[in-house]
Amino acid sequence: MRVGRPHSIKIAPSILSADFSKLGDEVRRAEEAGADIIHLDIMDGHFVPNLTFGPIIVKAIRSHTKLPFHVHLMVEKPEDYIERVVEAGGDLVIVHAEACTHLQRILSMIRNLGARSGVALNPATPLTTIEYVLDDLDLILIMSVNPGFGGQDFIPSVLPKIRRARRRVMKRGLKIEIAVDGGVNVETAPKIVEAGADVLVAGTAVFGKPDLKKAVQELREAASKPLKHASHSKT
Ligand code: DX5
Ligand code: ZN
């Protein structure tokens, strides 16, 4: 089955690389720059070795943009936070498969609260982990770095996982989106999209640039570039 380039690619800037002293302005800037989604990284200092923010911040910036909020929970016991992030304005809540003993229950909980559900997989976690919860899922977030920090290098060995996820979703005829998070930039985007991703999460490659509009445009252009024109076409 052909994997290839799906329809339209969504760009999801991660506010982890934004200016935290003015997050309201930053999400507004991202919307004006043509972004499709705002990606919010919640870290608890346990599941990942870093701390960021919680539902209070999600709520504080909610009114500054109309873009959907994808809340990426890098926390132990994500079930303790789901209700609060949905109340705060999270449209899609992503939990880590590695942090959920009762993954299906947690995904149902997210949908029952009226939000869309997502599962993130660390680079070492196989796709088979989510085989039996595909019907409960709206998005698969394939981590292409070990989560916790922005600005890390893309791990190319996740490309076959993206391909496999795309094939699986197509074969089952499901409407699950495939997102990729970590080290996404104009160099890596063509390979990621070619492998079958349809949402590109990018922190450094958007908020790390002075001109957000240009950054989003360049990422979108790179995502639609034929792979043979990309600088690394081997993987
Ligand atoms: C990493 C986070 C990412 C991060 C990506 O743990 O989940 O969303 O912001 O940052 P970049 O795009 O700089 O790799
Ligand atoms: Zn993230």
Side-chain angles (χ1 to χ4, degrees), residues 39-60:
H39 181 92
L40 301 102
D41 289 306
I42 295 187
M43 304 184 187
D44 68 349
H46 295 283
F47 182 71
V48 287
N50 199 5
L51 284 162
T52 54
F53 53 83
I56 291 174
I57 299 291
V58 178
K59 192 174 180 182

Side-chain angles (χ1 to χ4, degrees), residues 86 90-92 108-116:
V86 174
D91 298 286
L92 188 146
S108 298
M109 186 195 289
I110 297 171
R111 282 186 169 175
N112 288 338
L113 287 164
R116 296 172 72 224

Side-chain angles (χ1 to χ4, degrees), residues 12-17 39-43 48 50 72 74 96 141 143-154 180-185 201-206 208:
S14 158
I15 61 164
L16 190 61
S17 300
H39 181 92
L40 301 102
D41 289 306
I42 295 187
M43 304 184 187
V48 287
N50 199 5
H72 179 188
M74 282 161 276
H96 266 265
L141 183 72
M143 293 306 301
S144 40
V145 297
N146 290 292
F149 303 94
Q152 302 182 77
D153 288 340
F154 179 81
V180 175
D181 186 3
V184 175
N185 55 38
V201 178
T204 312
V206 177

Side-chain angles (χ1 to χ4, degrees), residues 140-144 154 158 162 178-182 184 192 197-202:
I140 303 169
L141 183 72
I142 297 182
M143 293 306 301
S144 40
F154 179 81
V158 303
I162 302 168
I178 298 170
V180 175
D181 186 3
V184 175
I192 296 167
D198 37 24
V199 179
L200 297 178
V201 178

Side-chain angles (χ1 to χ4, degrees), residues 13-230:
S14 158
I15 61 164
L16 190 61
S17 300
D19 183 340
F20 271 58
S21 71
K22 46 175 184 178
L23 284 178
D25 293 345
E26 293 286 76
V27 294
R28 200 173 313 123
R29 268 195 333 130
E31 181 170 357
E32 285 163 11
D36 302 292
I37 293 161
I38 300 291
H39 181 92
L40 301 102
D41 289 306
I42 295 187
M43 304 184 187
D44 68 349
H46 295 283
F47 182 71
V48 287
N50 199 5
L51 284 162
T52 54
F53 53 83
I56 291 174
I57 299 291
V58 178
K59 192 174 180 182
I61 59 176
R62 182 58 282 188
S63 62
H64 292 259
T65 175
K66 290 195 169 60
L67 293 180
F69 275 8
H70 287 192
V71 183
H72 179 188
L73 290 176
M74 282 161 276
V75 302
E76 286 179 359
K77 293 186 178 286
E79 60 271 29
D80 292 351
Y81 303 95
I82 289 165
E83 196 167 347
R84 273 176 283 167
V85 295
V86 174
E87 269 171 18
D91 298 286
L92 188 146
V93 181
I94 302 161
V95 294
H96 266 265
E98 305 84 5
C100 301
T101 307
H102 306 290
L103 183 57
Q104 196 280 335
R105 179 187 290 160
I106 292 174
L107 296 175
S108 298
M109 186 195 289
I110 297 171
R111 282 186 169 175
N112 288 338
L113 287 164
R116 296 172 72 224
S117 62
V119 170
L121 299 174
N122 281 338
T125 305
L127 190 68
T128 48
T129 309
I130 53 170
E131 175 66 25
Y132 300 104
V133 293
L134 290 175
D135 290 329
D136 304 285
L137 265 183
D138 297 300
L139 179 140
I140 303 169
L141 183 72
I142 297 182
M143 293 306 301
S144 40
V145 297
N146 290 292
F149 303 94
Q152 302 182 77
D153 288 340
F154 179 81
I155 299 171
S157 58
V158 303
L159 286 167
K161 192 174 0 179
I162 302 168
R163 271 187 209 108
R164 230 165 271 145
R166 169 58 56 197
R167 286 200 190 99
R168 201 75 198 95
V169 165
M170 282 169 66
K171 196 169 177 193
R172 290 272 305 266
L174 297 166
K175 283 203 178 110
I176 300 173
E177 289 187 294
I178 298 170
V180 175
D181 186 3
V184 175
N185 55 38
V186 291
E187 301 293 321
T188 56
K191 288 179 285 187
I192 296 167
V193 171
E194 185 68 26
D198 37 24
V199 179
L200 297 178
V201 178
T204 312
V206 177
F207 283 112
K209 305 276 178 179
D211 186 340
L212 249 58
K213 193 168 188 175
K214 192 165 167 240
V216 170
Q217 256 168 18
E218 283 178 355
L219 214 44
R220 221 183 272 289
E221 276 162 26
S224 62
K225 241 192 238 171
L227 194 56
K228 58 182 178 347
H229 294 147

